[in-house]
Amino acid sequence: ASPSAGSAAPPQAAPHPDAACGVLLGLAYPDRIAQRRADGRFLLRNGRGAAVQELQPLSSAAYLAVAELEDSGSDGRIQLAAPLGPDELETYFGDQLLVETEARWDRYAEAVRARRRIRLGAIVLKETQWADPDPALVQAALLAGLAEQGLGLLPWSKAAKQLRDRMNLMHAHNPEWPDVSDEALLAALPEWLGPYVGGMRGRGDLARLDMVAILESLLSWQDRQRLEKEVPTHLTVPSGSRVPVDYADPASPVLAVRLQELFGLRETPRIAGGKLPVTIHLLSPAHRPVQVTQDLASFWEHAYFEVKKDLKGRYPKHYWPDNPLEAPATNRAKPRPPR
């Protein structure tokens, strides 16, 4: 309320003489405005370090205007200074303040952090979260984080890994095919991944990506048909089972299948237009490997009978014919009796 007529106005607190002194020193020596660091030393506006040599009231001031500075060594020695408050800085140096915005990848949070800073030279007066960052800056920071930490941040499902391995195999036999090696993908992140990460900020968002669809977008319809024909996801074996092919090593794709399911198959299956034999991991009924070969014909002729002797002892209820090339293949203990 306003004071009543005739009453004296309340006394105003006189400004502390040090505050005016700090402003005057700051105006006289603007490069010597300093901010206290967490370790008790000071950072000058020009980026140099400085320290108050003896414990005194100035040591705990948030900001100083330095009148005398012995500028030697890694940190200058503050010999004469006066305190400054943040309000004085905004009032008298507001036209020199810079507003800086930044979006960068935080490798520990695995996310983009957007910050807004108010700076006076090297001194950061205030730092807050940037609530509405430029989407282009966020996307650039996200892709920079991927380039730094690697493609392991992406959600590689089993199907996506297999598709990538198959594409790598095709590229190895035909350099015109898209190169989806780590080096090639990391070098071209904005081109192939950029269109799919709009609005995303971190690993949690990246988990929503469909990596199969993204990789397939690098191929034409004709290329997809050719890939399915020459480097199929599965091979059908004589038992009728569709067995997945492991392409983790593009030079030696693996078909892991129970031995009994291959009875009657004389030659090793080949892929990549017949250029590449698969490496067959022959499994016991318990799905344990008993032989590895790229020459199935030689296995039937030479090694089968030794393997048969061992497996017949361990799995006597299963079917171990003397002539595997004429026997019916089965995915059961014994083939179904003919009807």
Side-chain angles (χ1 to χ4, degrees):
S2 301
S4 59
S7 63
Q12 299 292 322
H16 194 284
D18 284 351
C21 186
V23 170
L24 291 173
L25 285 177
L27 292 170
Y29 305 106
D31 281 351
R32 294 188 192 169
I33 295 173
Q35 180 185 50
R36 189 177 185 275
R37 292 167 162 168
D39 60 3
R41 296 181 300 131
F42 285 83
L43 173 68
L44 296 171
R45 175 180 175 175
N46 62 15
R48 286 277 290 152
V52 177
Q53 294 304 301
E54 298 177 3
L55 192 63
Q56 52 182 292
L58 287 178
S59 304
S60 60
Y63 299 95
L64 294 177
V66 180
E68 293 185 11
L69 178 71
E70 183 182 315
D71 196 6
S72 62
S74 58
D75 280 345
R77 296 175 61 185
I78 297 172
Q79 297 180 323
L80 184 63
L84 266 173
D87 292 342
E88 283 81 28
L89 287 173
E90 291 188 17
T91 300
Y92 294 98
F93 301 93
D95 60 338
Q96 301 172 42
L97 300 180
L98 294 177
V99 177
E100 176 184 270
T101 53
E102 177 191 58
R104 65 178 182 83
W105 180 258
D106 182 333
R107 66 177 294 116
Y108 300 103
E110 295 185 333
V112 174
R113 293 286 180 253
R115 310 294 293 174
R116 183 177 182 272
R117 299 188 187 94
I118 299 176
R119 306 180 69 98
L120 181 65
I123 296 172
V124 178
L125 300 179
K126 187 183 295 184
E127 181 172 359
T128 57
Q129 183 175 334
W130 186 12
D132 189 23
D134 182 340
L137 292 180
V138 173
Q139 178 169 316
L142 178 69
L143 295 178
L146 275 166
E148 176 190 341
Q149 286 194 243
L151 298 174
L153 291 176
L154 298 175
W156 296 103
S157 64
K158 188 175 180 181
K161 288 178 182 177
Q162 189 195 46
L163 174 58
R164 189 177 169 204
D165 291 338
R166 292 163 66 211
M167 292 172 68
N168 275 325
L169 189 150
M170 288 296 282
H171 177 76
H173 288 272
N174 184 352
E176 294 182 2
W177 269 70
D179 184 353
V180 290
S181 64
D182 278 6
E183 296 77 13
L185 291 181
L186 287 171
L189 281 169
E191 290 78 19
W192 70 272
L193 190 62
Y196 300 93
V197 296
M200 295 187 175
R201 288 204 181 190
R203 188 168 193 167
D205 298 320
L206 293 172
R208 304 197 306 266
L209 291 172
D210 183 345
M211 296 308 298
V212 170
I214 293 173
L215 290 176
E216 285 181 342
S217 72
L218 302 176
L219 302 174
S220 66
W221 183 86
Q222 291 83 357
D223 285 341
R224 293 183 207 177
Q225 300 305 304
R226 183 179 171 193
L227 182 68
E228 189 57 39
K229 179 180 178 182
E230 295 193 13
V231 188
T233 59
H234 296 71
L235 289 176
T236 301
V237 295
S239 67
S241 298
R242 291 183 73 249
V243 181
V245 183
D246 182 350
Y247 292 98
D249 179 359
S252 183
V254 170
L255 183 74
V257 58
R258 286 179 295 181
L259 188 155
Q260 292 172 300
E261 300 203 48
L262 296 184
F263 291 158
L265 183 63
R266 296 175 181 273
E267 299 293 336
T268 304
R270 305 179 75 86
I271 58 175
K275 300 184 187 77
L276 190 64
V278 299
T279 299
I280 302 175
H281 288 202
L282 294 164
L283 308 179
S284 72
H287 293 269
R288 296 189 179 92
V290 295
Q291 192 84 10
V292 175
T293 184
Q294 283 189 328
D295 188 346
L296 195 57
S298 177
F299 168 77
W300 293 132
E301 184 177 354
H302 302 291
Y304 169 72
F305 297 99
E306 285 299 318
V307 171
K308 169 194 168 184
K309 186 186 303 182
D310 176 54
L311 292 179
K312 192 171 184 178
R314 285 191 286 153
Y315 305 98
K317 295 182 179 180
H318 286 71
Y319 178 57
W320 307 112
D322 293 331
N323 188 347
L325 292 177
E326 300 297 331
T330 181
N331 53 18
R332 299 156 51 88
K334 294 183 179 181
R336 295 179 185 274
R339 294 183 178 179

